[in-house]
Amino acid sequence: MTVPDAPNRSRALGYALIAVAATSWGTWPLFLRHAAMPPSLSAAIVMAIMTFGTVPMLVRDRLRSKPTRAQWAQLAWLGVADALNVVLLFAAYARTSVAIAVLTHYLTPLFVALAAPLVVAERMQRRTLGAVAFSFAGLILLLEPWRATFGDRDLVGAACGAASAAFYASNVLVNKRLTAAFSGSELVVFHGLVATPLLILLVPASATAGVSGHALAVLVLGAFGPGVLGGLFFVWGLRRVPATHASVLTLIEPLVAVLCGAVAFGEVLGPWPLFGGLLILLGAIAVISAPTRAEHG
C-alpha cells in the first residue's frame, strides 16, 4: 500500500477544510431567519465575535514574516470589503428567497475572472465572456421578473446578493495574496479589527429595540459556527490548495443553502428558477476550472 507523501496529505487536508467551511456557510439562512434583526446589526455582532473569538488562536498560529506597508494596506482593504460583503449578503437573505440571495452571491467566480486581468495580470479568456453571458441568462431565469409575485424586495435582494459577490471576489483575490504574510488567525483577527468598527457605524440607533435573548443566542451560535470555524477552516485550507480549486469547493455553499431553504422554509424552486440557478453554477464552474499558467507550470 502506497503511503501518501506530505504535500499530498496537506492538499487533501486543505480540500477537506474548505469543504467543511463551505458546508457551514450554507447553513447561514437557518441562523439568520431564526435571529430576526436588522442585517447591519447581525453583521456587526457576527464580525465582532469572529474577530475576538479568534484572538486566543494567535498564540500558536502566527507567522514570523514582517509584512510590508503595502500588505498592511491590502489587509485594511480586506476588512472594508469583507464588512460590505457580509452586510450585503445578510441584507439579501432578509429581503428575498434563500435561492435568489445565495445564487446571486455566487456570481463571485465571474467577478474574480473579470478582475483578474487588472489585479493579477491574467489574460481574459474566451470562456470567461461566455460564462458571463451564460450566468446572466441564468440570473434572469432565477429571478423570473415576469411572474406576478416578483416585487421590489426580490430585485433589491438580488442586487444586494450581487454586490456582496463583488466584494467577496475582492476577498478571494486579496486573501490569496496575503497568505505568505499572515497566518489564518492573523488574517481573521486583523481584518476584523477594521471590519467590526465599520459595521458598527452602519447600525441604526433603533436597531437594538425588540431584539430578544433567543435571537441573540441563535446569532452567537452562528457566529462561532459558520463564522469563526468556517472562516478559519477556509483560510487554513486556502494555504494548501490552488485558489481555483478552493473556488470550486465553495460551490457547496449555495447547494446547502438552497436545500436549507427548501427543507426549513418550504422554498421549493420552480423549473425555470432551478434551471437558472444551474446556469449560474455552471458558468462559475466554467470560469474557475479554466487552466492557468500557474497550474501548468
Side-chain angles (χ1 to χ4, degrees):
M1 187 170 114
T2 303
V3 179
D5 57 21
N8 286 340
R9 288 198 300 270
S10 177
R11 181 168 290 199
L13 176 60
Y15 289 141
L17 289 170
I18 292 171
V20 171
T23 300
S24 73
W25 294 338
T27 64
W28 267 122
L30 301 177
F31 295 100
L32 296 175
R33 293 285 178 88
H34 288 97
M37 62 181 71
S40 57
L41 177 59
S42 58
I45 293 172
V46 166
M47 187 63 71
I49 291 174
M50 285 177 59
T51 301
F52 296 104
T54 308
V55 168
M57 299 185 187
L58 286 177
V59 176
R60 292 188 176 183
D61 188 26
R62 297 290 301 271
L63 293 185
R64 294 183 178 180
S65 62
K66 294 183 179 180
T68 65
R69 290 183 180 179
Q71 288 170 328
W72 280 111
Q74 290 174 50
L75 185 65
W77 166 249
L78 183 63
V80 174
D82 200 30
L84 296 173
N85 163 47
V86 173
V87 74
L88 287 165
L89 178 59
F90 285 10
Y93 277 132
R95 286 169 171 78
T96 188
S97 69
V98 170
I100 290 176
V102 74
L103 288 170
T104 52
H105 178 66
Y106 265 81
L107 292 168
T108 296
L110 300 178
F111 292 147
V112 170
L114 291 172
L118 297 176
V119 178
V120 292
E122 288 183 1
R123 179 182 297 181
M124 177 74 70
Q125 299 189 21
R126 289 183 180 179
R127 75 161 64 193
T128 299
L129 297 177
V132 169
F134 213 58
S135 294
F136 181 76
L139 182 60
I140 298 298
L141 294 176
L142 174 68
L143 294 177
E144 284 188 298
W146 55 83
R147 62 182 163 88
T149 55
F150 181 81
D152 290 342
R153 289 183 65 82
D154 288 320
L155 187 60
V156 172
C160 288
S164 75
F167 288 109
Y168 185 28
S170 172
N171 291 352
V172 171
L173 292 169
V174 175
N175 252 310
K176 190 62 180 177
R177 294 181 65 170
L178 294 177
T179 54
F182 300 96
S183 71
S185 298
E186 288 173 327
L187 281 172
V188 172
V189 172
F190 295 156
H191 100 281
L193 293 177
V194 175
T196 301
L198 177 59
L199 286 169
I200 291 173
L201 289 175
L202 296 177
V203 178
S206 60
T208 57
V211 175
S212 67
H214 171 75
L216 187 59
V218 170
L219 190 63
V220 169
L221 184 62
F224 278 105
V228 174
L229 293 179
L232 282 172
F233 282 8
F234 179 73
V235 293
W236 287 340
L238 190 59
R239 304 184 162 278
R240 295 171 166 85
V241 304
T244 52
H245 293 188
S247 297
V248 172
L249 282 173
T250 60
L251 293 176
I252 295 172
E253 178 185 353
L255 300 179
V256 173
V258 170
L259 181 62
C260 287
V263 173
F265 311 118
E267 296 181 358
V268 180
L269 290 178
W272 287 118
L274 179 61
F275 183 53
L278 288 175
L279 287 180
I280 291 174
L281 295 181
L282 288 173
I285 291 172
V287 168
I288 58 188
S289 63
T292 63
R293 289 175 184 171
E295 288 170 347
H296 288 298

